[in-house]
Amino acid sequence: MLLSLKHQARQLTLGVREARKLAGLAAEWLRRGVSAGDLRLALSSALPAEGVRTAFGFLAHRLVEKLPPRPEEAAEPTSPPPSPLPLPLIACDGTGEEHLFRPHASWVTTCGPCHREQQREEAELLLARAEADPAPPPPSWRERVATESRTSEAAAG
């Protein structure tokens, strides 16, 4: 693989002796799970704009400096986050017989059944108000256009 780098960039041409000296460093990359193609890419990409003075020195430096961590070092042992403690039991603020429940959030003050009952009562109250004092139907589009045109004429005249 090291000898084939000259096909990626001519300035990375190595001799056989130089490639043998760097083979141990390249093998460490492969032992750490890097594919030969990824290693080739890491060594031959983003070459300096001013060029490479010596292929051996440049590749030796990259093989050492860009060496990825061992797989066991990369995968840090993480323990699952601790489970939050359940909230304490509190007395329900709902109507009816006094009872305790465990809220799902700190701001909750009524249990599920009492909360649903409160919601049902509020909905019935709103419906009763709507039936007692129905709102007039909205004007049709023709009425709205006529009103708008009268307003425009009054503002212009």
Side-chain angles (χ1 to χ4, degrees):
M1 193 282 308
L2 291 170
L3 292 173
S4 72
L5 287 174
K6 64 183 173 189
H7 301 296
Q8 298 283 20
R10 188 172 178 91
Q11 53 190 331
L12 297 181
T13 302
L14 289 173
V16 173
R17 285 187 190 153
E18 293 172 323
R20 282 188 183 142
K21 289 179 183 176
L22 295 176
L25 293 172
E28 183 59 31
W29 280 64
L30 299 175
R31 277 193 289 276
R32 293 185 182 200
V34 177
S35 69
D38 288 342
L39 175 57
R40 183 179 293 112
L41 186 64
L43 296 176
S44 64
S45 64
L47 297 176
E50 64 275 357
V52 175
R53 281 200 280 184
T54 66
F56 179 78
F58 177 77
L59 292 173
H61 177 77
R62 279 222 169 156
L63 284 167
V64 170
E65 292 301 316
K66 288 191 166 191
L67 183 66
R70 288 187 173 87
E72 60 271 6
E73 291 173 5
E76 297 177 15
T78 57
S79 60
S83 301
L85 295 175
L87 294 171
L89 291 172
I90 62 171
C92 179
D93 286 346
T95 58
E97 210 174 291
E98 185 175 332
H99 57 279
L100 298 177
F101 79 105
R102 189 174 309 276
H104 66 280
S106 60
W107 51 267
V108 175
T109 59
T110 56
C111 66
C114 290
H115 178 73
R116 286 188 291 279
E117 184 60 33
Q118 286 175 349
Q119 296 295 312
R120 200 173 302 116
E121 289 171 2
E122 287 178 28
E124 290 172 359
L125 181 63
L126 287 173
L127 282 174
R129 283 185 191 162
E131 289 173 359
D133 187 24
S140 69
W141 68 271
R142 287 186 178 146
E143 292 171 341
R144 288 194 307 259
V145 169
T147 305
E148 185 65 33
S149 64
R150 283 192 300 263
T151 307
S152 299
E153 289 172 2

